[in-house]
Amino acid sequence: MTTTAHGMSRLDQFMAECLSKHALNDPRPLPQVFGYLLHENPLTGNLSIPHIVDAFDALVETMRTSKVEDGPADAGMTFFGQFVDHDVTLDTTSAIGTAIDPRSIRNVRTPNLDLDCVYGDGPEASNYLYSADHETEGFLLFGRKDNPYDLARNCQGRALIGDFRNDENIIISQVQGAFIALHNILMTNMAQDGDTAHDVANCAQMGVRHAVYDKHIVPKLRNFEEVRRFIRLHYQWIVLNEYLPSFVDQDDIDHVLKHDPFPDAPMMPAEFSVAAYRFGHATVQPQYVLRKDEAPLDLFALRGFGPRDPGATIDMDQFFGKHAQKALPVGTKMADTLFELPDNIVGSGLEWNGHQIPVAQAKKLGLRNILRDRSAIHIPSGQQMAAHLGLKALRAPKALRDHHITKTPLWFYCLQEAQESGKQRLSGVGGKIVASVIIRLLKEDAESVLNMADFQPWPGFGKTCTMGNLMAFVEKHRDHVKNRESLYCGPTPH
């Protein structure tokens, strides 16, 4: 967890600039810019900024809980959701206080579920991620001499991965590492040219003209390209068939598959990234068990962004599968851990139109989510979104009504829907927004699993293609990678 993820970041400024300059003029912005599903929704009325902040703070305080309740999703799905988010968007150019035309800013992440957070732009354009050894050409660097399951790192300990955010805590770091290890396992199988290699090649060539592999891919990279597509398809299958149903009501998923409720939407709507997709904050447990029969550790003891000790290697079956811990249910309760973010994440207060928000309030993650909406991005309220979708709107919570506010910030509204429905998943407005964006990303990609009518997951991962089975496959085979130690990279052990 980082300052960028929880602060009023450069990404917020980029979005605010992009939305204010372009969304009203172009109903479907280019994929590299953000837009609104509906329209900008600035503050109106006579309430003062301090009064509004107090109202939002009172609302957020109703969420605080020390009671741990298991929801339907595996605990690891919260962190897999971060991984998915980091796969589709990242701005590294815009900065607060700097005027810049968003049309000139490239989204470093492609707006596809294509694992570029793992692969970068491939061995030729992102060669720092890959082995330079002829024997392991196309293999991703992975492991260090003092921890073979850590990410590869430079001499300063920074992870050599496609998206730096996937090292922000030791759980998402190991989800990233598992996909890297999976690639190297399958590359080893390709070199052996057995049944697995043939299965991978046949799957990877689905929906792709033979000429693409025969004439347009450098021969030495053919195995790499086939493995990459094979993994992408199974990753997309998991996103669509396991991840989404873990957190979104199946009725909403089925509805969106048949009829997109936002047919002219931008590829990355503000309502998704600023509000609806932040549901994951309410599913975070205050503590996690890393390995069977060990004591749980506090969430913020799982800090990343540096070489990982071998003792911090997690058992993936504690996070995915039938023996996994569970995430909190999607709803209006949030672990009290997230009401006091550590100083390394939030070390100072905030300012909103001259009003100083003290550090004690600034450390509340829920309040930061709402202030980002109302002070920077100005997205529609939950009631406005419900009206657009023809749904019966929920009444604003009492904490807001007591402060004379009748419209609910969209982030909280999505959680309120899940709470009042009793389904412990997003439904209604929140379910349709999250499902529509994820499914649109797949529909717009001609080579995605959603556009492969005959796709069937590889049985080598087990009877079903799930994160639990995928992680078990990785843990079983990761020590049998070709020339494994040649892929190690990191600071010299002391």
Side-chain angles (χ1 to χ4, degrees):
M1 296 188 176
T2 68
T3 305
T4 301
H6 297 297
M8 301 301 177
S9 66
R10 296 179 298 170
L11 180 60
D12 300 324
Q13 181 68 11
F14 165 53
M15 291 177 64
E17 287 281 331
C18 178
L19 293 168
S20 64
K21 289 184 178 181
H22 301 289
L24 297 180
N25 298 322
D26 183 355
R28 188 168 181 115
L30 294 173
Q32 71 268 24
V33 300
F34 290 83
Y36 291 112
L37 291 175
L38 298 187
H39 47 69
E40 184 180 10
N41 178 38
L43 287 173
T44 57
N46 299 319
L47 298 177
S48 68
I49 295 296
H51 181 92
I52 293 171
V53 172
D54 286 345
F56 294 154
D57 188 56
L59 175 64
V60 167
E61 279 297 324
T62 68
M63 304 179 71
R64 187 192 292 259
T65 184
S66 59
K67 180 181 178 182
V68 175
E69 179 183 353
D70 286 346
D74 291 348
M77 283 297 173
T78 296
F79 300 91
F80 184 64
Q82 282 186 292
F83 180 83
V84 172
D85 178 38
H86 297 169
D87 189 29
V88 296
T89 182
L90 171 64
D91 159 49
T92 60
T93 307
S94 57
I96 291 176
T98 302
I100 186 169
D101 187 337
R103 291 174 297 184
S104 68
I105 300 173
R106 177 186 174 231
N107 178 10
V108 179
R109 300 277 71 80
T110 57
N112 299 87
L113 291 161
D114 61 0
L115 292 175
D116 65 334
C117 63
V118 172
Y119 290 106
D121 288 324
E124 295 183 327
S126 301
N127 61 359
Y128 63 94
L129 301 178
Y130 294 87
S131 171
D133 190 326
H134 175 72
E135 289 295 315
T136 50
E137 198 157 24
F139 283 62
L140 286 155
L141 297 175
F142 183 61
R144 299 181 293 110
K145 287 184 178 180
D146 56 341
N147 186 355
Y149 306 127
D150 192 10
L151 300 172
R153 299 181 182 275
N154 66 13
C155 61
Q156 296 178 323
R158 294 182 179 179
L160 297 173
I161 53 178
D163 191 304
F164 71 96
R165 297 170 295 175
N166 284 353
D167 191 35
E168 68 181 23
N169 62 66
I170 66 173
I171 300 175
I172 191 173
S173 173
Q174 290 175 76
V175 172
Q176 171 87 15
F179 277 93
I180 293 172
L182 176 61
H183 174 84
N184 291 341
I185 291 165
L186 294 177
M187 286 292 290
T188 299
N189 291 142
M190 297 299 280
Q192 295 168 348
D193 196 28
D195 290 342
T196 296
H198 297 158
D199 289 345
V200 169
N202 289 336
C203 175
Q205 292 174 26
M206 287 185 63
V208 179
R209 291 178 295 109
H210 288 294
V212 171
Y213 283 97
D214 295 338
K215 297 181 180 180
H216 301 293
I217 290 177
V218 178
K220 67 179 182 179
L221 292 179
R222 179 162 181 150
N223 284 355
F224 167 82
E225 295 292 354
E226 290 178 341
V227 168
R228 177 164 64 171
R229 181 143 197 267
F230 176 88
I231 294 176
R232 280 176 175 171
L233 288 171
H234 287 82
Y235 160 66
Q236 292 168 355
W237 174 272
I238 288 171
V239 170
L240 182 61
N241 293 283
E242 184 184 19
Y243 172 69
L244 270 184
S246 293
F247 291 122
V248 178
D249 183 48
Q250 189 64 49
D251 288 343
D252 287 299
I253 298 171
D254 294 341
H255 174 81
V256 170
L257 284 167
K258 294 177 181 177
H259 176 73
D260 190 343
F262 305 105
D264 297 318
M267 292 297 288
M268 194 51 56
E271 292 90 339
F272 171 84
S273 57
V274 172
Y277 199 68
R278 291 178 185 259
F279 72 85
H281 293 161
T283 72
V284 174
Q285 292 277 14
Q287 294 182 318
Y288 292 96
V289 174
L290 301 188
R291 289 172 296 277
K292 185 179 179 181
D293 299 329
E294 291 190 358
L297 294 177
D298 289 343
L299 173 67
F300 292 112
L302 309 180
R303 199 171 299 167
F305 290 130
R308 190 171 67 245
D309 185 86
T313 299
I314 67 176
D315 291 338
M316 282 296 186
D317 63 1
Q318 294 298 300
F319 290 87
F320 300 101
K322 62 182 180 180
H323 302 299
Q325 304 158 89
K326 294 297 183 181
L328 293 179
V330 181
T332 57
K333 296 301 179 183
M334 180 182 286
D336 53 10
T337 308
L338 300 179
F339 284 71
E340 298 177 6
L341 298 176
D343 290 343
N344 69 301
I345 295 176
V346 177
S348 61
L350 300 169
E351 181 179 334
W352 182 6
N353 287 356
H355 173 64
Q356 298 297 320
I357 299 172
V359 67
Q361 285 185 321
K363 284 178 173 287
K364 299 177 183 181
L365 179 56
L367 183 59
R368 297 179 76 86
N369 286 342
I370 293 175
L371 293 179
R372 178 180 287 105
D373 166 357
R374 303 315 300 134
S375 70
I377 312 301
H378 300 157
I379 58 179
S381 68
Q383 286 82 5
Q384 289 170 319
M385 292 299 305
H388 175 78
L389 291 168
L391 302 173
K392 182 179 179 180
L394 302 179
R395 192 181 186 193
K398 184 176 184 297
L400 292 183
R401 300 198 311 272
D402 287 348
H403 288 79
H404 311 292
I405 294 176
T406 59
K407 297 293 188 294
T408 310
L410 184 56
W411 172 72
F412 187 91
Y413 189 92
C414 294
L415 302 179
Q416 184 184 358
E417 285 180 313
Q419 185 76 31
E420 295 193 11
S421 73
K423 296 179 178 180
Q424 301 186 320
R425 294 175 172 86
L426 294 172
S427 61
V429 168
K432 288 179 173 58
I433 291 175
V434 170
S436 70
V437 171
I438 297 296
I439 289 170
R440 187 182 310 114
L441 293 177
L442 293 172
K443 283 183 176 179
E444 294 292 329
D445 178 0
E447 295 183 358
S448 81
V449 72
L450 195 57
N451 292 313
M452 299 296 112
D454 297 328
F455 177 81
Q456 292 294 324
W458 183 50
F461 292 138
K463 292 182 179 180
T464 56
C465 182
T466 64
M467 278 295 288
N469 285 343
L470 196 71
M471 295 300 100
F473 178 88
V474 169
E475 289 189 337
K476 180 179 180 180
H477 297 284
R478 64 188 177 185
D479 292 337
H480 307 294
V481 167
K482 180 181 179 181
N483 295 343
R484 180 184 178 209
E485 294 189 7
S486 73
L487 303 175
Y488 292 172
C489 184
T492 302
H494 296 295

